[in-house]
Amino acid sequence: MPLVQIDLDRSLAERLGEQISDGIHQALVDGLGMDPTDKFQIFRTHAPEEIVFDPGYNGVDRRQLISIQILMVHMYDVTTKYAMFDQIAKRLGDIGIRSDDLLISIVENGFEDWYAGKSRS
């Protein structure tokens, strides 16, 4: 059950929030083989001055920053994670978001670290 947290400019969220949500979710379904009903996302919107970034970091031409942090169970290999990154970039690119403007990170933990409304005992 990945938990996806998206930080982005408020105006971008207002214009494309639903499409961003759908694109990221479908990328997780396609890239990780995740169950389509497993959708948990938190959008955190910001005024432009609240998002500070280096526009040329890593040799890209960054014009805005969309930070996508995915908290998930440690169970995927590197190739699968890279494929998921590519899926996210492609799907968001399809709605006009440049891949240079994305910062995607994964934070992993174990199955024992999750509670989703139902006890495991």
Side-chain angles (χ1 to χ4, degrees), residues 8 12-22 41 43:
L8 70 167
L12 181 61
E14 290 168 357
R15 266 190 358 264
L16 295 174
E18 187 174 340
Q19 292 171 285
I20 292 169
S21 172
D22 291 346
Q41 300 176 342
F43 276 75

Side-chain angles (χ1 to χ4, degrees), residues 44-58:
R44 295 183 294 227
T45 62
H46 303 274
E49 68 274 4
E50 294 175 335
I51 300 176
V52 180
F53 59 90
D54 185 320
Y57 174 76
N58 203 32

Side-chain angles (χ1 to χ4, degrees), residues 55-73:
Y57 174 76
N58 203 32
V60 301
D61 174 29
R62 189 170 291 105
R63 298 176 192 163
Q64 63 180 337
L65 179 67
I66 301 167
S67 172
I68 302 168
Q69 186 178 65
I70 304 166
L71 176 60
M72 63 187 196
V73 172

Side-chain angles (χ1 to χ4, degrees), residues 27 81-91 104:
K81 292 175 192 177
Y82 285 171
M84 180 201 62
F85 292 153
D86 291 342
Q87 282 284 326
I88 292 172
K90 180 197 177 311
R91 290 186 178 280
I104 306 171

